[in-house]
PDB file of all heavy atoms in Angstrom:
ATOM      1  N   PHE A 204      29.657 -47.270-118.428  1.00  0.00           N
ATOM      2  CA  PHE A 204      28.211 -47.234-118.615  1.00  0.00           C
ATOM      3  C   PHE A 204      27.535 -46.541-117.430  1.00  0.00           C
ATOM      4  O   PHE A 204      26.691 -45.662-117.589  1.00  0.00           O
ATOM      5  CB  PHE A 204      27.676 -48.660-118.768  1.00  0.00           C
ATOM      6  CG  PHE A 204      26.187 -48.721-119.009  1.00  0.00           C
ATOM      7  CD1 PHE A 204      25.688 -48.655-120.294  1.00  0.00           C
ATOM      8  CD2 PHE A 204      25.299 -48.822-117.945  1.00  0.00           C
ATOM      9  CE1 PHE A 204      24.315 -48.692-120.525  1.00  0.00           C
ATOM     10  CE2 PHE A 204      23.924 -48.863-118.165  1.00  0.00           C
ATOM     11  CZ  PHE A 204      23.436 -48.793-119.450  1.00  0.00           C
ATOM     12  N   GLU A 205      27.941 -46.930-116.234  1.00  0.00           N
ATOM     13  CA  GLU A 205      27.324 -46.369-115.022  1.00  0.00           C
ATOM     14  C   GLU A 205      27.596 -44.879-114.902  1.00  0.00           C
ATOM     15  O   GLU A 205      26.734 -44.107-114.490  1.00  0.00           O
ATOM     16  CB  GLU A 205      27.828 -47.123-113.787  1.00  0.00           C
ATOM     17  CG  GLU A 205      27.315 -48.561-113.772  1.00  0.00           C
ATOM     18  CD  GLU A 205      27.683 -49.310-112.506  1.00  0.00           C
ATOM     19  OE1 GLU A 205      28.719 -48.953-111.873  1.00  0.00           O
ATOM     20  OE2 GLU A 205      26.939 -50.252-112.151  1.00  0.00           O
ATOM     21  N   GLU A 206      28.813 -44.482-115.295  1.00  0.00           N
ATOM     22  CA  GLU A 206      29.147 -43.056-115.210  1.00  0.00           C
ATOM     23  C   GLU A 206      28.331 -42.264-116.234  1.00  0.00           C
ATOM     24  O   GLU A 206      27.771 -41.221-115.933  1.00  0.00           O
ATOM     25  CB  GLU A 206      30.641 -42.845-115.460  1.00  0.00           C
ATOM     26  CG  GLU A 206      31.453 -43.072-114.190  1.00  0.00           C
ATOM     27  CD  GLU A 206      32.952 -43.125-114.456  1.00  0.00           C
ATOM     28  OE1 GLU A 206      33.392 -42.724-115.566  1.00  0.00           O
ATOM     29  OE2 GLU A 206      33.670 -43.588-113.564  1.00  0.00           O
ATOM     30  N   MET A 207      28.268 -42.771-117.429  1.00  0.00           N
ATOM     31  CA  MET A 207      27.587 -42.057-118.492  1.00  0.00           C
ATOM     32  C   MET A 207      26.101 -41.860-118.200  1.00  0.00           C
ATOM     33  O   MET A 207      25.534 -40.811-118.447  1.00  0.00           O
ATOM     34  CB  MET A 207      27.762 -42.834-119.792  1.00  0.00           C
ATOM     35  CG  MET A 207      26.941 -42.315-120.927  1.00  0.00           C
ATOM     36  SD  MET A 207      27.902 -42.343-122.423  1.00  0.00           S
ATOM     37  CE  MET A 207      26.734 -41.644-123.547  1.00  0.00           C
ATOM     38  N   TYR A 208      25.470 -42.916-117.667  1.00  0.00           N
ATOM     39  CA  TYR A 208      24.015 -42.837-117.455  1.00  0.00           C
ATOM     40  C   TYR A 208      23.627 -42.567-116.004  1.00  0.00           C
ATOM     41  O   TYR A 208      22.439 -42.541-115.672  1.00  0.00           O
ATOM     42  CB  TYR A 208      23.340 -44.106-117.967  1.00  0.00           C
ATOM     43  CG  TYR A 208      23.463 -44.228-119.469  1.00  0.00           C
ATOM     44  CD1 TYR A 208      24.399 -45.086-120.043  1.00  0.00           C
ATOM     45  CD2 TYR A 208      22.670 -43.448-120.311  1.00  0.00           C
ATOM     46  CE1 TYR A 208      24.540 -45.174-121.412  1.00  0.00           C
ATOM     47  CE2 TYR A 208      22.802 -43.524-121.688  1.00  0.00           C
ATOM     48  CZ  TYR A 208      23.741 -44.390-122.229  1.00  0.00           C
ATOM     49  OH  TYR A 208      23.874 -44.478-123.586  1.00  0.00           O
ATOM     50  N   LYS A 209      24.647 -42.377-115.173  1.00  0.00           N
ATOM     51  CA  LYS A 209      24.384 -42.067-113.760  1.00  0.00           C
ATOM     52  C   LYS A 209      23.467 -43.104-113.099  1.00  0.00           C
ATOM     53  O   LYS A 209      22.441 -42.759-112.495  1.00  0.00           O
ATOM     54  CB  LYS A 209      23.745 -40.666-113.631  1.00  0.00           C
ATOM     55  CG  LYS A 209      24.472 -39.565-114.394  1.00  0.00           C
ATOM     56  CD  LYS A 209      25.451 -38.836-113.492  1.00  0.00           C
ATOM     57  CE  LYS A 209      26.166 -37.699-114.182  1.00  0.00           C
ATOM     58  NZ  LYS A 209      27.048 -38.147-115.312  1.00  0.00           N
ATOM     59  N   VAL A 210      23.838 -44.355-113.276  1.00  0.00           N
ATOM     60  CA  VAL A 210      23.069 -45.409-112.618  1.00  0.00           C
ATOM     61  C   VAL A 210      24.001 -46.450-112.010  1.00  0.00           C
ATOM     62  O   VAL A 210      25.133 -46.613-112.448  1.00  0.00           O
ATOM     63  CB  VAL A 210      22.133 -46.182-113.594  1.00  0.00           C
ATOM     64  CG1 VAL A 210      20.912 -45.372-113.935  1.00  0.00           C
ATOM     65  CG2 VAL A 210      22.885 -46.630-114.837  1.00  0.00           C
ATOM     66  N   GLU A 211      23.491 -47.129-110.998  1.00  0.00           N
ATOM     67  CA  GLU A 211      24.165 -48.313-110.483  1.00  0.00           C
ATOM     68  C   GLU A 211      23.450 -49.516-111.090  1.00  0.00           C
ATOM     69  O   GLU A 211      22.219 -49.522-111.158  1.00  0.00           O
ATOM     70  CB  GLU A 211      24.021 -48.361-108.969  1.00  0.00           C
ATOM     71  CG  GLU A 211      24.734 -47.240-108.253  1.00  0.00           C
ATOM     72  CD  GLU A 211      25.745 -47.800-107.265  1.00  0.00           C
ATOM     73  OE1 GLU A 211      25.545 -48.944-106.811  1.00  0.00           O
ATOM     74  OE2 GLU A 211      26.716 -47.087-106.982  1.00  0.00           O
ATOM     75  N   THR A 212      24.225 -50.488-111.530  1.00  0.00           N
ATOM     76  CA  THR A 212      23.575 -51.576-112.257  1.00  0.00           C
ATOM     77  C   THR A 212      23.634 -52.909-111.519  1.00  0.00           C
ATOM     78  O   THR A 212      22.930 -53.844-111.884  1.00  0.00           O
ATOM     79  CB  THR A 212      24.240 -51.769-113.634  1.00  0.00           C
ATOM     80  OG1 THR A 212      25.627 -52.047-113.431  1.00  0.00           O
ATOM     81  CG2 THR A 212      24.059 -50.529-114.488  1.00  0.00           C
ATOM     82  N   GLU A 213      24.451 -52.972-110.492  1.00  0.00           N
ATOM     83  CA  GLU A 213      24.696 -54.254-109.830  1.00  0.00           C
ATOM     84  C   GLU A 213      23.391 -54.979-109.462  1.00  0.00           C
ATOM     85  O   GLU A 213      22.555 -54.425-108.739  1.00  0.00           O
ATOM     86  CB  GLU A 213      25.550 -53.996-108.568  1.00  0.00           C
ATOM     87  CG  GLU A 213      26.136 -55.242-107.942  1.00  0.00           C
ATOM     88  CD  GLU A 213      27.001 -56.056-108.915  1.00  0.00           C
ATOM     89  OE1 GLU A 213      27.837 -55.454-109.612  1.00  0.00           O
ATOM     90  OE2 GLU A 213      26.821 -57.290-108.969  1.00  0.00           O
ATOM     91  N   GLY A 214      23.259 -56.168-109.957  1.00  0.00           N
ATOM     92  CA  GLY A 214      22.113 -57.000-109.589  1.00  0.00           C
ATOM     93  C   GLY A 214      20.770 -56.520-110.119  1.00  0.00           C
ATOM     94  O   GLY A 214      19.728 -57.033-109.716  1.00  0.00           O
ATOM     95  N   LYS A 215      20.765 -55.523-111.006  1.00  0.00           N
ATOM     96  CA  LYS A 215      19.481 -54.996-111.482  1.00  0.00           C
ATOM     97  C   LYS A 215      19.112 -55.550-112.845  1.00  0.00           C
ATOM     98  O   LYS A 215      19.968 -55.787-113.682  1.00  0.00           O
ATOM     99  CB  LYS A 215      19.546 -53.466-111.563  1.00  0.00           C
ATOM    100  CG  LYS A 215      19.571 -52.831-110.179  1.00  0.00           C
ATOM    101  CD  LYS A 215      19.727 -51.332-110.240  1.00  0.00           C
ATOM    102  CE  LYS A 215      19.897 -50.776-108.838  1.00  0.00           C
ATOM    103  NZ  LYS A 215      20.505 -49.435-108.863  1.00  0.00           N
TER     104      LYS A 215
END
Side-chain angles (χ1 to χ4, degrees):
F204 182 88
E205 292 185 333
E206 277 169 14
M207 171 139 182
Y208 294 102
K209 311 265 182 296
V210 284
E211 294 238 335
T212 58
E213 193 57 46
K215 289 176 186 160

